[in-house]
Amino acid sequence: MISERDSETTFEEDSQPNDEVVPYSDDETEDELDGGQSGDEPGPKQTSRDAEESRDPTKKDCSWQVKANDQRFYDQPGFKRTIFLCFKKSKYSGNAIKTYKYNPITFLPLNLFEQFKRAANFYFLVLLILQSIPQITTLSWYTTLVPLLLVLGITAVKDLVDDIARHRMDNEVNNRTCEVIKDGRFKNTKWKDIKVGDIIRLKKNTFIPADILLLSSSEPNSLCYVETAELDGETNLKFKMALEVTDRYLQEESALADFDGLVECEEPNNRLDKFTGTLSWRNSSYPLDADKILLRGCKIRNTDFCHGMVIFAGADTKIMKNSGKTRFKRTKIDSLMNYMVYTIIVLLILLSAGLAIGHTYWEQQIGNSSWYLYDAQDYSPAYRGFLNFWGYIIVLNTMVPISLYVSVEVIRFGQSYFINWDLQMYYPEKDTPAKARTTTLNEQLGQIQYIFSDKTGTLTQNIMTFKKCCINGQRYGESVQSLCEQVDFSWNMYADGKFLFYDHYLIEQIKSGKEPEIQKFFFLLAICHTVMADTSDGQLNYQAASPDEGALVTAARNFGYVFLSRTQNTITISEMGVKRTYDVLAILDFNSDRKRMSVIVRESSGNIRLYCKGADTVIYERLHPRNLKKEATEEALDVFANETLRTLCLCYRDISQDEFEAWNKKFTEASLATSHRDEALDKVYEEIEKNLILLGVTAIEDKLQDGVPETISRLSKADIKIWVLTGDKKETAENIGFSCELLTEETAICYGEDTSALLQTRLENQRNRAGSSPHSSLRMNEPFFQGSRDRALIITGSWLNEILLEKKKKKKKLKLKFPRTAEEKKKQSEKRRRAEAYKEQQQKNFVDLACECRAVICCRVTPKQKAMVVELVKKYKKAITLAIGDGANDVNMIKTAHIGVGISGQEGMQAVMSSDYSFGQFRYLQRLLLVHGRWSYIRMCKFLRYFFYKNFAFTLVHIWYSFFNGFSAQTAYEDWFITLYNVLYSSLPVLLVGLLDQDVSDKLSLRFPRLYILGQRDLLFNYKKFFLSLLHGAVTSLIIFFIPYGAYLISMGQDGEAPADYQSFAVTAASSLIFVVNFQIGLDTSYWTFVNAFSVFGSIALYFGITFDLHSAGIHVLFPSRFQFTGTAPNALRQPYLWLTMILSIAICLLPIVAQRFLSMTIWPLESDKIQRNRRQYLLEEQQWKRRQSAFRRGVSARRSAYAFSHQRGYADLIASGRSIRKRRAPLDAVLSGTGTGTGTGSGTGSGDTRDTG
Amino acid sequence: GKKNYKADGHPSGGVGVPGGGAVGGGGGGAVKTRKPDNTAFKQQRLPAWQPILTAGTVLPAFFIIGLIFIPIGIGIFVTSNNIREYEIDYTGTEPSSPCNKCLNVSWDSTPPCTCTINFTLEHSFESNVFMYYGLSNFYQNHRRYVKSRDDSQLNGDNSSLLNPSKECEPYRTNEDKPIAPCGAIANSMFNDTLELYRIDNDTRTPITLIKKGIAWWTDKNVKFRNPTGDGNNLTALFQGTTKPVNWPKPVYMLDSEPDNNGFINEDFIVWMRTAALPTFRKLYRLIERKNNLQPTLQAGKYSLDIAYNYPVHSFDGRKRMILSTISWMGGKNPFLGIAYITVGSICFFLGVVLLIIHHKYGNRNTSADIPN
């Protein structure tokens, strides 16, 4: 029992961490250690969160009571909880789910409320209120209201569309039907009407509507197979088994209708693999565990029908409890942007205050004596200054761009669609396009520094294929695939047709039957395993505990040694068409310590033989000294290892009858042992697995997904560090590290113990230097490793725990639970603080160390540790992280990382559901980051820089003007221009740049991964760039004001009619601004499509169109006091001197920018500049471009074991107990029963296994 | 968990059942392919022009702009210099000034204080001459001042006539009667009268000053309109309103000619078009050239008769009378010309500098040093 063993190891103080085991079975909620321990602890446990209590799997918490077929049971007052004042509600939720946020009535108020919770919207609401105060209103109400309404409207529509989709989805799910017992009969009922305590019947291939207790099924022993893909992403079937008593008595409809059992269990929680409770029925009680619970979201498979009782419904189900907390992710730019907006607000307040002081002074000096300004208000200058402060806050509000947030949203939304539409990220085999599930993180994709990748299903396809073998020293399967046609297996009626093999020689050898070794080899593969066969639909299907084993048995099947079926103690094999049944005397099952498994078989001749397969290291120790082919096989092992194939050694041994009987006695004894049974068994196994005769080696390929090595190398060139985090074993992970070229022969690998030692020395050094207090922050940044060797870190979960002091912390917590005096308390907190600082230092050191390595592989890590590693890097490196995975065990990590990517197209949905982006293949990651990420980042940065610029250029003109109007908060433009500037005149071109701009094409982005570094270093948008933008805006505004000032304001106009009046000035300034700002975005645009051209010139045209309309006679006649600029545009803009002024302003604004850009491109060219310049040349090259094949393998390499097996522990117990064997195949059962194979101790062991290793 | 892999990787039974668990994995249509469309837009392959700032485009641009701007600048500068302009400050703050006696006039001094200033034009003004009055330190662009008007009233709206906008406060009503035109702008209308005489051998010949055609056509015909009603009698139409506080006479007595009276009086309209800066000029009268043989204003002695009504001394304001001719690009102002010449020269200079720099560094853009 793995969990038992590991809890021992983790509690033993000085034990070495065990590389083989996953530290402890946890999930994303709580620590097993804590819970398990505190159960024995006397006294109250001081936890603030009541949720914690429900997580304790102790008996006293079984407060959740469910009674079958009795709805009145739940009306008891004990089951009600107060929700609001005196309103009570049952604590049992119904089965209807509700994911939507609004209904038709609440939509408007709720949505508005939510929108005004955003700081920006609230700010504009405050402005609007300020504007309605007559004393300080400086702008018309519509200048703020129109943009605000637009912003609110766009957001509301988006929310509405989202919510409608949610409504639709909820309805679809809630209206599914299944059969429920009502009035003694099964009736079709909608899911939403299912209640706790209902007895339901589920058919094959239907989804399970709630968390139910399995009562009985159509299968023997009430087994029920479920597919948990929706839940944990694992595509293999899992079996659940009902209690014996319910299996026996609850098969009939009437029996089910009369069932009145009471289930007492834990409160609803989110732990998928835990359940504790008891069933009380007919005056006896039966323990319940997770093995008897079918969870909502799973699917019934291979089981015609099953019956169950609803335990948790709707929101109480485990899947719903799990889906609740999605972290709200923000991008780095988001927070930067927020700080910038705050900066601007501070700037705004300072400027307004300055101008208000100016106004006070002016009023004292000039205003008071100007009779023409008399307004009958007896305000002091200081008070007028105060009022003007608010006036300027209103006038200058456009410095904080109202449309900023909504524009950013729109751009990200569009970018997300481009990701969804990308054909090159569409995976045709599974028909899965890429999907940006979160639309708010795109530019962060251009800043990734660390990638945390899952292995199984992400880097690999999780398909094992039998590639090669070495039998009796002779290697087979070597031929080059492209040259040879594949072997024809049609002679074999059992061949599964999907198996590909290219070595015809081996087939000939088998067919000729000359070599007994070859026969033995495949016979071993067919017999030595724990696979179960199933002939549903006339097809022979295997169900294996590990894909490796499945691959081996399938290979044997194709080569003519077909495993047909098994019973408790026999196994039937078709050997080249001849069906034979063998007695299996013992199955010596696999476990990670033994790294091998054996079966002892009595052959037809009566000989007893042991067949064994296992890791080369383990097998070679146990070989008979006189094995002839040892060297040749070892050579084969080397070759296979170099090709990163996973190897297993096969061997056998003949056992005499006496020896077996002697051994069998010990074996029976050991298997009956009550304590340390596993250790005892291991010892017994050891005795018989010796003096083995080597048969050969199998080589299995753990197929990588397409393009994984290329993707990894390209991402590494972009300075992205890739960490592999996997629950798999060290060997497997290392093997994959080599095959995806994360590790090479030159790599110096650093393991857990090395790391631990390094960290220990480092910490001691730090302590010595820092003196007594370890937390006085003395940072030492010298590297851990000398020299520039290529290094990699491979560390297991146990070591990770050890190093990061996760374990020790818990011990302390337990010890120090009950402080007695205040002094003790203080001491304790001091201690804790010191421990905390120590831990922090250690963690920081670890991260520093790990980051010095080119590659990091963490294996045997739990989902929680995966998340912890991500968190560590986030915390200590302040780096942007991306996690990619496909299974439920990656969910935590995906949620923790800045960006989570799910591999979709697999059956499982959980990783995808919690991810921000999803696509079908790992290799699309390079396109997502290097192309879409980079583009998005560049676009967003360009957009933001320009946006701040244009608003400053626009707004600051008011300030320059105020020096000439007595700081009276008079605007430099017409109100309508202010209203429409951000909305209509300047927004479209920059939006299009944000959506469409590309500096270099996608092909070149991929070809030059170093272009990506720009984003990692925040080069395009940071505080420096921000202030430069502001400065640029300020300079532009100066030019826009002072050029007209010099040109004509102090003089007069042409035809004498139009001397410098305010309205003409406003129009001139506005027109030059529109020209400058739109030409500026033209300069910034590096990808001019017709849409861009249209929008730039369209904006200018729109400005003139609207201005002429608003200044027309007609509109003035209709609203004389709203539109006061009648005739200004036509009168002003027919003057040549105004045009000359504007041309001058434009030239002075833009020419220096052109010169500066040209200079920096010439003197300090960026890589993208160079690439852009040489675009044509690359295009030519591209046409002849062929990917370099990494054909050159390294020569002779150091020996390394390529043993890797994803196997944990087989079905031996289940097989031995005979539980799963269908009754109709029973005759075989009866054949032999005398041989002692009673390893199993019944369902308890089998089911216990499944639970504990979860 | 314990991994029960199916060896052949296919769970038996209905694989085609659309996905979508309890939390609704979006399965979508099972038959329809979800392959994205292969369009240029969706694949971000829109045909595009990718301009790069190369020496081949930037340098010529700078030279050409320089070459265009310099001549324009010279042209503007020469034109500006050819404009004749004469300016008299008649505020009268200096004791020597003839108008010094009027410095402390109030609005309602009757008869108005008058003064006469003699001046000599050194050069003759050949073309049409425009006569302006100029005010300094007068904040016509002050927010409080700018908004103090009612455009509806000025547009002849009858209800606004009798019930002016609140913006006009405190010049909205006087003695419970609505003020027409209301507001601070109208109230502070410039009301000096300027008359120009040519002194030829001690005879003062008055120079005809045309008072119509000094306002924008749109102002006169669209923006400003007298209230409508029965008949054309302005007095009757303005019945029930009162004159602005500072005005000596009501609005319907601004002029004798009916098409220049009331709200459409051009002096009034010109005043109502507020200036951008505290120092401004406003067109006062036109002096038209009579014939081609004689300049409009010959060089010689002139005198300006001023009915000094408008008090500016209290806020340190100045009053000026300006005579000016006009060119195609406006009044006399050397700034634009100089600015064009400067910008053009800088452009040219920058072009040379960039050319040198390009020669020095231009080869940095080769592809050889880009890491792949």
Side-chain angles (χ1 to χ4, degrees), chain A residues 705-723:
Chain A
Q705 292 194 357
D706 294 338
V708 166
E710 288 86 348
T711 305
I712 285 180
S713 83
R714 206 168 268 170
L715 291 175
S716 321
K717 273 184 200 148
D719 266 10
I720 301 174
K721 295 220 169 76
I722 296 164
W723 293 30

Side-chain angles (χ1 to χ4, degrees), chain A residues 173-185:
Chain A
V173 172
N174 284 335
N175 288 329
R176 291 181 190 170
T177 56
C178 73
E179 285 181 294
V180 177
I181 288 205
K182 279 197 175 152
D183 312 321
R185 299 200 62 83

Side-chain angles (χ1 to χ4, degrees), chain B residues 176-195:
Chain B
D176 291 338
K177 275 187 168 176
I179 294 175
C182 75
I185 310 179
N187 187 53
S188 59
M189 182 180 158
F190 182 77
N191 60 353
D192 283 1
T193 316
L194 306 174
E195 279 163 1

Side-chain angles (χ1 to χ4, degrees), chain A residues 176 236 544-545 1047 1054 1163 1211, chain B residues 3-5 20 326 333 364-365:
Chain A
R176 291 181 190 170
N236 48 326
Q1054 285 55 23
I1163 305 178
Y1211 291 137
Chain B
K3 305 206 168 181
N4 319 355
Y5 291 94
I326 286 288
N333 183 5
R364 285 199 178 184
N365 284 307

